[in-house]
Short mmCIF file of all heavy atoms in Angstrom, two decimals:
data_model
loop_
_atom_site.label_atom_id
_atom_site.label_comp_id
_atom_site.label_asym_id
_atom_site.label_seq_id
_atom_site.Cartn_x
_atom_site.Cartn_y
_atom_site.Cartn_z
N ASP A 225 142.15 -41.16 -32.74
CA ASP A 225 143.07 -40.65 -33.77
C ASP A 225 142.39 -40.44 -35.12
O ASP A 225 143.02 -39.96 -36.06
CB ASP A 225 144.27 -41.59 -33.93
CG ASP A 225 143.87 -43.00 -34.31
OD1 ASP A 225 142.65 -43.29 -34.39
OD2 ASP A 225 144.77 -43.84 -34.53
N MET A 226 141.11 -40.79 -35.22
CA MET A 226 140.36 -40.62 -36.47
C MET A 226 138.96 -40.12 -36.16
O MET A 226 138.40 -40.36 -35.09
CB MET A 226 140.25 -41.95 -37.22
CG MET A 226 141.56 -42.58 -37.65
SD MET A 226 142.24 -41.81 -39.14
CE MET A 226 141.08 -42.36 -40.39
N VAL A 227 138.37 -39.39 -37.12
CA VAL A 227 136.95 -39.07 -37.08
C VAL A 227 136.34 -39.45 -38.42
O VAL A 227 137.04 -39.52 -39.44
CB VAL A 227 136.67 -37.57 -36.79
CG1 VAL A 227 137.16 -37.19 -35.41
CG2 VAL A 227 137.27 -36.67 -37.86
N CYS A 228 135.05 -39.73 -38.41
CA CYS A 228 134.33 -39.97 -39.66
C CYS A 228 133.16 -39.01 -39.74
O CYS A 228 132.69 -38.48 -38.73
CB CYS A 228 133.84 -41.43 -39.76
SG CYS A 228 132.54 -41.87 -38.58
N SER A 229 132.69 -38.77 -40.96
CA SER A 229 131.61 -37.81 -41.16
C SER A 229 130.64 -38.33 -42.20
O SER A 229 131.02 -39.03 -43.14
CB SER A 229 132.18 -36.45 -41.61
OG SER A 229 132.98 -36.60 -42.77
N GLY A 230 129.37 -37.98 -42.03
CA GLY A 230 128.33 -38.30 -43.00
C GLY A 230 127.78 -37.02 -43.59
O GLY A 230 127.65 -36.01 -42.90
N SER A 231 127.45 -37.05 -44.90
CA SER A 231 127.11 -35.81 -45.59
C SER A 231 125.92 -35.99 -46.52
O SER A 231 125.52 -37.11 -46.86
CB SER A 231 128.33 -35.33 -46.40
OG SER A 231 127.99 -34.33 -47.32
N TRP A 232 125.39 -34.84 -46.93
CA TRP A 232 124.34 -34.83 -47.96
C TRP A 232 124.88 -35.27 -49.33
O TRP A 232 124.09 -35.49 -50.25
CB TRP A 232 123.73 -33.43 -48.07
CG TRP A 232 122.66 -33.19 -47.03
CD1 TRP A 232 122.82 -32.71 -45.77
CD2 TRP A 232 121.27 -33.45 -47.17
NE1 TRP A 232 121.63 -32.65 -45.12
CE2 TRP A 232 120.65 -33.09 -45.96
CE3 TRP A 232 120.49 -33.94 -48.21
CZ2 TRP A 232 119.28 -33.21 -45.75
CZ3 TRP A 232 119.11 -34.07 -48.00
CH2 TRP A 232 118.52 -33.71 -46.79
N ASP A 233 126.20 -35.42 -49.47
CA ASP A 233 126.74 -35.94 -50.73
C ASP A 233 126.69 -37.47 -50.77
O ASP A 233 127.25 -38.09 -51.69
CB ASP A 233 128.17 -35.43 -50.97
CG ASP A 233 129.17 -35.91 -49.92
OD1 ASP A 233 128.85 -36.83 -49.13
OD2 ASP A 233 130.28 -35.36 -49.87
N CYS A 234 126.02 -38.08 -49.76
CA CYS A 234 125.78 -39.53 -49.68
C CYS A 234 127.02 -40.33 -49.29
O CYS A 234 126.99 -41.57 -49.32
CB CYS A 234 125.21 -40.09 -50.99
SG CYS A 234 123.80 -39.19 -51.65
N GLN A 235 128.09 -39.66 -48.92
CA GLN A 235 129.33 -40.36 -48.60
C GLN A 235 129.69 -40.25 -47.13
O GLN A 235 129.28 -39.32 -46.43
CB GLN A 235 130.48 -39.81 -49.46
CG GLN A 235 130.33 -40.06 -50.94
CD GLN A 235 131.56 -39.66 -51.72
OE1 GLN A 235 132.56 -39.23 -51.15
NE2 GLN A 235 131.50 -39.80 -53.04
N ILE A 236 130.50 -41.22 -46.67
CA ILE A 236 131.11 -41.19 -45.35
C ILE A 236 132.60 -41.00 -45.57
O ILE A 236 133.24 -41.75 -46.31
CB ILE A 236 130.85 -42.50 -44.59
CG1 ILE A 236 129.34 -42.73 -44.41
CG2 ILE A 236 131.56 -42.49 -43.23
CD1 ILE A 236 128.99 -44.13 -43.98
N ALA A 237 133.15 -39.98 -44.94
CA ALA A 237 134.59 -39.69 -45.09
C ALA A 237 135.31 -39.98 -43.79
O ALA A 237 134.77 -39.77 -42.69
CB ALA A 237 134.81 -38.24 -45.50
N LEU A 238 136.55 -40.49 -43.90
CA LEU A 238 137.39 -40.77 -42.74
C LEU A 238 138.56 -39.81 -42.74
O LEU A 238 139.21 -39.60 -43.79
CB LEU A 238 137.89 -42.22 -42.77
CG LEU A 238 136.93 -43.31 -42.27
CD1 LEU A 238 135.67 -43.40 -43.12
CD2 LEU A 238 137.63 -44.66 -42.23
N TRP A 239 138.86 -39.24 -41.56
CA TRP A 239 139.84 -38.18 -41.45
C TRP A 239 140.82 -38.46 -40.30
O TRP A 239 140.45 -39.07 -39.30
CB TRP A 239 139.17 -36.84 -41.15
CG TRP A 239 137.96 -36.53 -41.96
CD1 TRP A 239 136.68 -36.97 -41.73
CD2 TRP A 239 137.88 -35.71 -43.13
NE1 TRP A 239 135.82 -36.47 -42.67
CE2 TRP A 239 136.52 -35.69 -43.55
CE3 TRP A 239 138.83 -34.97 -43.85
CZ2 TRP A 239 136.10 -34.97 -44.66
CZ3 TRP A 239 138.40 -34.24 -44.96
CH2 TRP A 239 137.05 -34.25 -45.36
N GLN A 240 142.04 -37.98 -40.46
CA GLN A 240 143.02 -38.05 -39.38
C GLN A 240 142.69 -36.98 -38.35
O GLN A 240 142.52 -35.80 -38.69
CB GLN A 240 144.43 -37.81 -39.94
CG GLN A 240 145.55 -38.10 -38.96
CD GLN A 240 145.79 -39.58 -38.78
OE1 GLN A 240 145.60 -40.36 -39.71
NE2 GLN A 240 146.19 -39.98 -37.57
N ALA A 241 142.60 -37.36 -37.08
CA ALA A 241 142.26 -36.40 -36.04
C ALA A 241 143.47 -35.96 -35.23
O ALA A 241 143.47 -34.89 -34.64
CB ALA A 241 141.21 -36.98 -35.10
N SER A 242 144.51 -36.81 -35.17
CA SER A 242 145.67 -36.47 -34.37
C SER A 242 146.91 -37.07 -35.00
O SER A 242 146.84 -37.75 -36.02
CB SER A 242 145.50 -37.00 -32.94
OG SER A 242 145.38 -38.42 -32.96
N GLY A 243 148.04 -36.84 -34.39
CA GLY A 243 149.30 -37.37 -34.92
C GLY A 243 149.85 -36.47 -36.00
O GLY A 243 149.41 -35.35 -36.23
N SER A 244 150.81 -37.00 -36.74
CA SER A 244 151.46 -36.21 -37.79
C SER A 244 150.51 -35.98 -38.95
O SER A 244 149.71 -36.84 -39.28
CB SER A 244 152.72 -36.92 -38.29
OG SER A 244 152.38 -38.19 -38.82
N ASP A 245 150.58 -34.82 -39.55
CA ASP A 245 149.73 -34.47 -40.68
C ASP A 245 150.43 -34.86 -41.97
O ASP A 245 151.53 -34.40 -42.28
CB ASP A 245 149.45 -32.96 -40.69
CG ASP A 245 148.70 -32.53 -39.44
OD1 ASP A 245 147.76 -33.24 -39.06
OD2 ASP A 245 149.08 -31.50 -38.86
N THR A 246 149.81 -35.74 -42.73
CA THR A 246 150.41 -36.19 -43.98
C THR A 246 149.42 -36.01 -45.11
O THR A 246 148.27 -35.69 -44.91
CB THR A 246 150.79 -37.68 -43.88
OG1 THR A 246 149.61 -38.44 -43.58
CG2 THR A 246 151.82 -37.91 -42.78
N GLY A 247 149.89 -36.24 -46.34
CA GLY A 247 149.01 -36.13 -47.50
C GLY A 247 148.91 -34.69 -47.95
O GLY A 247 149.85 -33.90 -47.83
N ASP A 248 147.76 -34.33 -48.50
CA ASP A 248 147.56 -32.98 -49.03
C ASP A 248 147.23 -32.02 -47.90
O ASP A 248 146.07 -31.74 -47.61
CB ASP A 248 146.43 -32.98 -50.07
CG ASP A 248 146.77 -33.85 -51.25
OD1 ASP A 248 147.95 -33.89 -51.64
OD2 ASP A 248 145.87 -34.52 -51.78
N VAL A 249 148.25 -31.55 -47.24
CA VAL A 249 148.09 -30.67 -46.10
C VAL A 249 148.64 -29.29 -46.45
O VAL A 249 149.73 -29.17 -47.01
CB VAL A 249 148.83 -31.22 -44.86
CG1 VAL A 249 148.63 -30.30 -43.66
CG2 VAL A 249 148.37 -32.63 -44.56
N VAL A 250 147.88 -28.27 -46.14
CA VAL A 250 148.30 -26.90 -46.45
C VAL A 250 148.28 -26.08 -45.18
O VAL A 250 147.30 -26.08 -44.45
CB VAL A 250 147.34 -26.26 -47.49
CG1 VAL A 250 147.83 -24.85 -47.83
CG2 VAL A 250 147.25 -27.12 -48.73
N SER A 251 149.36 -25.38 -44.91
CA SER A 251 149.42 -24.50 -43.75
C SER A 251 148.81 -23.15 -44.13
O SER A 251 149.17 -22.57 -45.15
CB SER A 251 150.86 -24.30 -43.30
OG SER A 251 150.91 -23.42 -42.20
N VAL A 252 147.89 -22.69 -43.32
CA VAL A 252 147.19 -21.44 -43.60
C VAL A 252 147.44 -20.46 -42.47
O VAL A 252 147.06 -20.70 -41.34
CB VAL A 252 145.67 -21.67 -43.76
CG1 VAL A 252 144.96 -20.35 -44.04
CG2 VAL A 252 145.39 -22.67 -44.86
N LYS A 253 148.11 -19.34 -42.76
CA LYS A 253 148.33 -18.33 -41.74
C LYS A 253 147.12 -17.41 -41.67
O LYS A 253 146.62 -16.94 -42.68
CB LYS A 253 149.59 -17.52 -42.06
CG LYS A 253 150.87 -18.33 -41.87
CD LYS A 253 152.09 -17.45 -42.01
CE LYS A 253 153.36 -18.27 -41.75
NZ LYS A 253 154.56 -17.44 -41.87
N LYS A 254 146.66 -17.18 -40.46
CA LYS A 254 145.47 -16.37 -40.27
C LYS A 254 145.82 -14.89 -40.15
O LYS A 254 146.97 -14.53 -39.93
CB LYS A 254 144.72 -16.83 -39.01
CG LYS A 254 144.26 -18.29 -39.12
CD LYS A 254 143.59 -18.75 -37.85
CE LYS A 254 144.57 -18.79 -36.72
NZ LYS A 254 144.02 -19.38 -35.51
N ARG A 255 144.79 -14.08 -40.27
CA ARG A 255 144.99 -12.65 -40.14
C ARG A 255 145.52 -12.29 -38.76
O ARG A 255 145.22 -12.93 -37.77
CB ARG A 255 143.67 -11.92 -40.35
CG ARG A 255 143.10 -12.00 -41.75
CD ARG A 255 141.73 -11.36 -41.76
NE ARG A 255 140.84 -12.03 -40.82
CZ ARG A 255 139.76 -11.49 -40.30
NH1 ARG A 255 139.45 -10.25 -40.61
NH2 ARG A 255 138.99 -12.15 -39.48
#
Side-chain angles (χ1 to χ4, degrees):
D225 58 357
M226 298 281 290
V227 296
C228 68
S229 56
S231 167
W232 277 88
D233 64 13
C234 310
Q235 295 187 2
I236 300 166
L238 279 63
W239 316 82
Q240 190 76 32
S242 61
S244 60
D245 298 316
T246 59
D248 298 324
V249 181
V250 182
S251 179
V252 179
K253 290 187 177 180
K254 298 177 294 187
R255 293 174 302 158

